Amino acid sequence: MNLFAAAPCPRALVVALVTAGALCLASPGARAETDSKKVRFDAGETVPVKLTVQGIEVGTLRFSLEGGVKLNPFKSGKGPQAFLTVKNTGAAAFDFGIAVVLYDEKGAVIAASESNHLGDLDPGEEGEIEVMFRYVKRKVYAAKTVEVILETLPPS
């Protein structure tokens, strides 16, 4: 039985959820927190997000559809990407992961991907996280809403 064939959501989202669950189980002493926020999809424009979890703040989101959507996943090259500004406004260092889910006008999931920060983000430190849509991306142009999911993990 193929569980992915019957699933109503993209395979990438299922992989993201399984990965997040495994991360939580691998670190029983760590206190991970997760929150999400939906904002409008506006290709090429910077959209305010203002999502904060344990001092890690996702300030803005910008999409680049450079490179278009290729039908051959082995020649994906540059494709649709989300760029998120992040800053640690808190007093403690945290590692984190970000997932981005795209919805069409009916609220159906049409694409999903994830990325993470390598190492801890120290207090006051800021940067930009790139989330590339490599495989589940054929309907990115139909997106109307974006959900940003932020999960923190205290340093080990």
Side-chain angles (χ1 to χ4, degrees), residues 50-63:
K50 302 293 185 205
L51 171 64
T52 305
V53 176
Q54 292 182 317
I56 303 297
E57 178 185 290
V58 176
T60 61
L61 166 71
R62 178 180 54 83
F63 273 89

Side-chain angles (χ1 to χ4, degrees), residues 9 49 95:
C9 58
V49 177
D95 194 4

Side-chain angles (χ1 to χ4, degrees), residues 35-50:
D35 200 2
S36 67
K37 184 172 184 181
K38 288 185 179 180
V39 296
R40 66 182 160 78
F41 176 84
D42 196 347
E45 296 296 320
T46 300
V47 177
V49 177
K50 302 293 185 205

Side-chain angles (χ1 to χ4, degrees), residues 8 38 101-111 142-145 147:
K38 288 185 179 180
V101 182
L102 303 179
Y103 299 90
D104 66 11
E105 62 189 12
K106 296 178 182 174
V109 173
I110 57 173
K144 298 295 181 196
T145 307
E147 185 169 14

